[in-house]
Coordinates of all heavy atoms in Angstrom, one line a residue:
F138 N -6.5 -11.0 20.2 CA -6.9 -10.4 19.0 C -7.7 -9.1 19.2 O -7.4 -8.1 18.5 CB -7.8 -11.4 18.3 CG -8.3 -11.0 16.9 CD1 -7.4 -10.7 15.9 CD2 -9.7 -10.8 16.6 CE1 -7.8 -10.3 14.6 CE2 -10.1 -10.4 15.4 CZ -9.2 -10.2 14.4
F139 N -8.6 -9.1 20.1 CA -9.4 -7.9 20.4 C -8.6 -6.8 21.0 O -8.8 -5.6 20.7 CB -10.7 -8.2 21.2 CG -11.8 -8.8 20.4 CD1 -12.0 -10.1 20.3 CD2 -12.6 -7.9 19.7 CE1 -13.0 -10.6 19.5 CE2 -13.7 -8.4 18.9 CZ -13.9 -9.8 18.8
E140 N -7.6 -7.2 21.8 CA -6.7 -6.1 22.4 C -5.9 -5.5 21.3 O -5.6 -4.3 21.3 CB -5.9 -6.7 23.5 CG -5.2 -5.7 24.3 CD -4.6 -6.3 25.6 OE1 -5.3 -6.6 26.5 OE2 -3.3 -6.4 25.6
D141 N -5.4 -6.3 20.4 CA -4.6 -5.8 19.3 C -5.5 -4.9 18.4 O -5.0 -3.8 18.0 CB -4.1 -7.0 18.4 CG -3.0 -7.7 19.0 OD1 -2.4 -7.2 19.9 OD2 -2.6 -8.8 18.5
L142 N -6.7 -5.2 18.2 CA -7.6 -4.3 17.4 C -7.8 -3.0 18.1 O -7.8 -2.0 17.5 CB -8.9 -5.0 17.1 CG -8.9 -6.2 16.1 CD1 -10.2 -6.9 16.0 CD2 -8.5 -5.7 14.7
L143 N -8.0 -3.1 19.4 CA -8.2 -1.9 20.2 C -7.0 -1.0 20.1 O -7.2 0.3 20.0 CB -8.5 -2.2 21.7 CG -9.9 -2.8 21.9 CD1 -10.0 -3.3 23.4 CD2 -11.0 -1.7 21.8
R144 N -5.8 -1.5 20.2 CA -4.6 -0.7 20.1 C -4.5 -0.1 18.7 O -4.1 1.1 18.6 CB -3.4 -1.6 20.3 CG -3.0 -1.7 21.8 CD -1.6 -2.2 21.9 NE -1.4 -3.6 21.4 CZ -1.5 -4.7 22.1 NH1 -1.8 -4.6 23.4 NH2 -1.4 -5.9 21.6
N145 N -4.9 -0.8 17.7 CA -4.8 -0.2 16.3 C -5.8 0.8 16.0 O -5.6 1.6 15.1 CB -4.9 -1.4 15.3 CG -3.5 -2.1 15.1 OD1 -2.8 -1.8 14.2 ND2 -3.2 -3.0 16.0
V146 N -6.9 0.9 16.8 CA -7.9 2.0 16.6 C -7.6 3.1 17.6 O -8.4 4.0 17.7 CB -9.3 1.5 16.7 CG1 -9.6 0.4 15.6 CG2 -9.7 1.0 18.0
D147 N -6.5 3.0 18.3 CA -6.1 4.0 19.3 C -7.1 4.1 20.4 O -7.4 5.3 20.9 CB -5.9 5.3 18.6 CG -4.6 5.3 17.7 OD1 -3.7 4.6 18.0 OD2 -4.7 6.0 16.7
H148 N -7.7 3.0 20.9 CA -8.6 3.1 22.0 C -7.9 3.4 23.3 O -6.9 2.7 23.5 CB -9.4 1.8 22.1 CG -10.6 1.9 23.0 ND1 -10.5 2.0 24.4 CD2 -11.9 1.8 22.7 CE1 -11.8 2.0 24.8 NE2 -12.6 1.9 23.9
P149 N -8.3 4.3 24.1 CA -7.6 4.7 25.3 C -7.5 3.6 26.3 O -6.6 3.7 27.2 CB -8.3 6.0 25.8 CG -9.7 5.8 25.2 CD -9.5 5.2 23.9
L150 N -8.4 2.7 26.2 CA -8.5 1.6 27.3 C -8.1 0.2 26.6 O -8.5 -0.8 27.1 CB -9.9 1.5 27.9 CG -10.4 2.8 28.6 CD1 -11.8 2.6 29.1 CD2 -9.4 3.2 29.7
A151 N -7.3 0.3 25.6 CA -6.9 -1.0 24.9 C -6.4 -2.0 25.8 O -6.7 -3.2 25.7 CB -5.9 -0.7 23.8
T152 N -5.5 -1.6 26.7 CA -4.8 -2.6 27.6 C -5.3 -2.5 29.1 O -4.8 -3.2 30.0 CB -3.3 -2.4 27.6 OG1 -3.0 -1.1 28.0 CG2 -2.8 -2.7 26.2
A153 N -6.3 -1.7 29.3 CA -6.8 -1.5 30.7 C -7.5 -2.7 31.2 O -8.2 -3.4 30.4 CB -7.8 -0.3 30.7
P154 N -7.4 -3.0 32.5 CA -8.1 -4.2 33.0 C -9.6 -4.0 33.0 O -10.1 -2.8 32.9 CB -7.6 -4.3 34.4 CG -7.1 -2.9 34.8 CD -6.6 -2.3 33.5
P155 N -10.4 -5.0 33.1 CA -10.0 -6.4 33.3 C -9.6 -7.1 32.0 O -10.0 -6.7 30.9 CB -11.3 -7.1 33.8 CG -12.4 -6.3 33.3 CD -11.9 -4.9 33.2
A156 N -8.7 -8.0 32.1 CA -8.1 -8.7 30.9 C -9.0 -9.9 30.6 O -8.6 -11.0 30.7 CB -6.7 -9.1 31.2
R157 N -10.2 -9.6 30.1 CA -11.1 -10.6 29.6 C -11.5 -10.3 28.2 O -11.8 -9.1 27.9 CB -12.3 -10.7 30.6 CG -12.0 -11.1 32.0 CD -13.2 -11.6 32.7 NE -14.3 -10.7 32.7 CZ -14.5 -9.7 33.6 NH1 -13.6 -9.7 34.7 NH2 -15.5 -8.9 33.6

Side-chain angles (χ1 to χ4, degrees):
F138 184 61
F139 278 96
E140 192 167 287
D141 283 347
L142 288 174
L143 285 168
R144 274 197 295 266
N145 277 262
V146 300
D147 293 326
H148 195 288
L150 301 177
T152 58
R157 296 200 302 270

